[in-house]
Amino acid sequence: IIVGIGINVNTSKEELDRISRPVWPAGSLLSLVERPFDVATLRRTLMGTFAVQLKRFFAGGFAVFRERVNELEVLMGSKVWFRAHQADEFEAVFEGIQDDGLILLRLT
């Protein structure tokens, strides 16, 4: 298994303004804190943190992260459209992530 993430690190506000996003605007660490980051240091920090959290996951499953993930979830309590299959789409309220990592929806 290979896991990858993309982080805009030192992308300027001007460059970000040229990125068209349908929902949320593009951002970068530089645009948030207004100081540049050393990418190599950031990469090492992320890899170290990921290794520690991966051990937690192996020991306790997704349940050890569920509460924090739900605290950060921007769609919590929002109406969403969910597609279970190409022809099976329905409206629901997003109520978070369960201990097993599956999403929890309330049909409307």
Side-chain angles (χ1 to χ4, degrees):
I1 296 175
I2 297 174
V3 176
I5 60 172
I7 301 174
N8 294 324
V9 179
N10 291 320
T11 309
S12 70
K13 175 80 169 101
E14 294 75 28
E15 290 175 278
L16 293 169
D17 288 343
R18 291 194 301 263
I19 300 172
S20 176
R21 295 287 312 241
V23 180
W24 290 288
S28 72
L29 296 177
L30 173 67
S31 71
L32 291 172
V33 300
E34 300 178 348
R35 71 170 178 81
F37 286 80
D38 178 74
V39 175
T41 300
L42 180 62
R43 186 180 298 122
R44 281 191 300 275
T45 301
L46 286 172
M47 288 185 342
T49 301
F50 181 78
V52 169
Q53 298 306 320
L54 189 59
K55 287 180 185 178
R56 287 184 63 211
F57 175 78
F58 286 146
F62 185 79
V64 299
F65 300 103
R66 187 194 60 78
E67 185 175 333
R68 181 70 174 138
V69 167
N70 284 334
E71 287 172 1
L72 296 171
E73 181 52 65
V74 298
L75 293 176
M76 187 68 78
S78 298
K79 284 188 177 181
V80 297
W81 283 95
F82 184 80
R83 181 176 292 150
H85 184 268
Q86 193 168 8
D88 192 12
E89 187 175 279
F90 52 90
E91 185 178 31
V93 175
F94 180 78
E95 294 192 339
I97 306 292
Q98 302 177 109
D99 281 349
D100 57 6
L102 298 175
I103 62 172
L104 181 60
L105 300 172
R106 179 173 36 88
L107 297 178
T108 56

